[in-house]
Amino acid sequence: MIAQLFCLLAACLTAVNAHPPHHKDPQAAASKQIKVWQEEYNRYIFKALENRTTGCTKEKLQYRREWGSLLPKDRIDYTNAVHCLQKKANQISNDRVPGARSRFDDVIASHIFQSPFIHFSGIFLHWHRYYTYIYDQLLRTECAYTGPQPYWDWTLSYKDPRKSKIFDSSPDSMGSNGEFIPGRNGTFTTAFGRNATIPPATGGGCVTSGPFKNYTVNLGPAVFEPRVSRTGLDYNPRCLKRDVSLDFANNTKPTDVVELIGGYSTLESFTDFLERRGGLHGSGHFTIGGDPGNDGYVSAGDPIFYLHHGQVDRLWTIWQALKPGERFGKVFKTVTAFNSAGSAADDCGGGFDD
């Protein structure tokens, strides 16, 4: 299974330089550094697979692509496959998840159930890597998708994501921002033992254009009001809402990515920086915003979630490949939020093996 996962990750890097050189435009310099890492990773992965004859081989590589680099037809093929999952009947029992109405809801429910263990814990990155892989496989095996699983490189649109191919509302986008609702208060959330108020941004209402304008969100909210239950598992049909935040987008700059990859040498410190307040992971989610985007448990209900986590996984892969012998196959601490309790995670060893 590990080999299959890394066959999906031929999109990432390595470099001897941990920080970009001095440059009059620090974002341009950081973008150049990320590109160097990306190209170096591609050379690394091909060399690692050069003599492979079983498991993950060069012939089995599946490439992940940045959303904006796909052809319009390929983007539409992808959103059509997502629609397919959203139309297929749920397989999880409604005794267990009363609100589930589709296979897409089955996937969301998995994230809801596991949320207390997979955020701010030693398996945050590992679980979400596997989760996005399973989602990719469902699109392929149940909805005949044959293209790459895309990712959203926030560094390309941090100045204003609304102008990117992600949010530009065209038929080959991932939809639009939500309709702007003026005079709103912030969204008060309670999740993982922490309270936060997310400020209102540039939207807040329903997505009214693009591929997901008619998508019905069935599960949640779980961490903010109004909610029909505290679990987020009951039936609560409503429109998809987004609230694109330029403030949070500004936390996803190229320099932020370079600081993450070049500034932390252990998995624990890397993960802590990634998940900190104002960090890349949370800022990506809150850039999307809205409902369920602002919900730490139910955020997988917005189809952009999987592109966002594709980027998170890409950055982890880049970091791992800087020192593959030390960084592949590692976990740390426990499987509970903030590692406050639970089972200590064993060191799984290093390397890049089947």
Side-chain angles (χ1 to χ4, degrees):
M1 183 60 71
I2 294 298
Q4 289 176 302
L5 290 177
F6 283 111
C7 266
L8 292 172
L9 297 176
C12 302
L13 76 105
T14 193
V16 295
N17 223 352
H19 300 283
H22 178 72
H23 196 282
K24 63 181 180 180
D25 182 349
Q27 301 309 329
S31 294
K32 184 176 181 180
Q33 177 65 72
I34 296 167
K35 184 178 180 180
V36 168
W37 282 336
Q38 176 79 59
E39 292 170 349
E40 288 289 334
Y41 173 79
N42 289 340
R43 287 193 289 270
Y44 159 77
I45 194 67
F46 279 113
K47 184 175 181 180
L49 300 180
E50 189 172 25
N51 298 316
R52 288 275 186 96
T53 58
T54 61
C56 180
T57 65
K58 287 189 291 185
E59 292 72 27
K60 295 178 181 178
L61 280 174
Q62 294 177 3
Y63 290 84
R64 290 183 175 180
R65 300 292 189 192
E66 208 284 320
W67 179 256
S69 73
L70 297 176
L71 295 174
K73 178 186 179 299
D74 295 332
R75 290 193 287 264
I76 291 172
D77 285 346
Y78 179 80
T79 55
N80 283 344
V82 177
H83 288 153
C84 166
L85 276 190
Q86 292 171 342
K87 292 174 182 176
K88 281 183 172 284
N90 56 295
Q91 293 185 14
I92 197 168
S93 167
N94 285 121
D95 291 336
R96 191 177 185 203
V97 183
R101 295 295 184 273
S102 71
R103 285 294 275 153
F104 193 73
D105 289 342
D106 290 347
V107 178
I108 302 166
S110 175
H111 190 270
I112 294 173
F113 281 126
Q114 298 299 323
S115 277
F117 315 108
I118 59 170
H119 296 102
F120 305 102
S121 76
I123 60 167
F124 162 70
L125 288 164
H126 313 70
W127 191 92
H128 284 88
R129 170 173 287 176
Y130 187 59
Y131 184 63
T132 54
Y133 168 76
I134 292 298
Y135 180 72
D136 172 82
Q137 294 305 296
L138 288 176
L139 293 176
R140 296 176 189 283
T141 59
E142 299 192 18
C143 293
Y145 180 64
T146 59
Q149 175 63 35
Y151 62 90
W152 167 28
D153 184 352
W154 334 286
T155 69
L156 302 177
S157 58
Y158 73 91
K159 291 181 179 179
D160 191 345
R162 296 171 298 178
K163 298 177 182 178
S164 72
K165 280 308 301 180
I166 291 281
F167 291 105
D168 73 2
S169 78
S170 61
D172 57 314
S173 70
M174 288 296 290
S176 66
N177 191 12
E179 185 177 4
F180 179 63
I181 300 177
R184 292 174 294 126
N185 295 321
T187 302
F188 179 77
T189 67
T190 301
F192 316 117
R194 287 185 172 183
N195 299 330
T197 299
I198 303 166
T202 65
C206 297
V207 171
T208 59
S209 57
F212 299 106
K213 63 182 179 182
N214 296 319
Y215 162 50
T216 299
V217 180
N218 294 320
L219 302 177
V223 306
F224 55 77
E225 300 296 343
R227 52 188 170 183
V228 298
S229 73
R230 292 191 174 275
T231 65
L233 298 172
D234 290 295
Y235 187 49
N236 184 26
R238 60 204 187 279
C239 69
L240 172 65
K241 296 180 180 180
R242 289 177 181 156
D243 193 14
V244 173
S245 170
L246 304 186
D247 290 336
F248 281 110
N250 195 55
N251 295 334
T252 63
K253 301 181 296 297
T255 50
D256 298 308
V257 169
V258 168
E259 182 176 2
L260 170 71
I261 294 172
Y264 297 90
S265 60
T266 67
L267 180 59
E268 183 174 2
S269 62
F270 178 89
T271 304
D272 286 348
F273 186 79
L274 181 64
E275 285 203 277
R276 70 188 178 94
R277 287 183 185 268
L280 287 159
H281 170 243
S283 292
H285 280 300
F286 296 140
T287 294
I288 302 165
D291 177 15
N294 281 339
D295 192 316
Y297 281 61
V298 197
S299 54
D302 189 319
I304 296 179
F305 173 100
Y306 305 93
L307 279 66
H308 167 56
H309 269 280
Q311 168 76 343
V312 171
D313 194 39
R314 173 180 175 243
L315 301 187
W316 182 31
T317 305
I318 288 173
W319 178 84
Q320 286 180 301
L322 285 169
K323 295 183 178 180
E326 298 176 14
R327 293 178 177 177
F328 283 116
K330 298 293 183 179
V331 293
F332 68 95
K333 287 194 173 178
T334 70
V335 292
T336 53
F338 302 106
N339 296 299
S340 58
S343 301
D346 294 327
D347 186 330
C348 295
F352 187 81
D353 300 319
D354 286 322

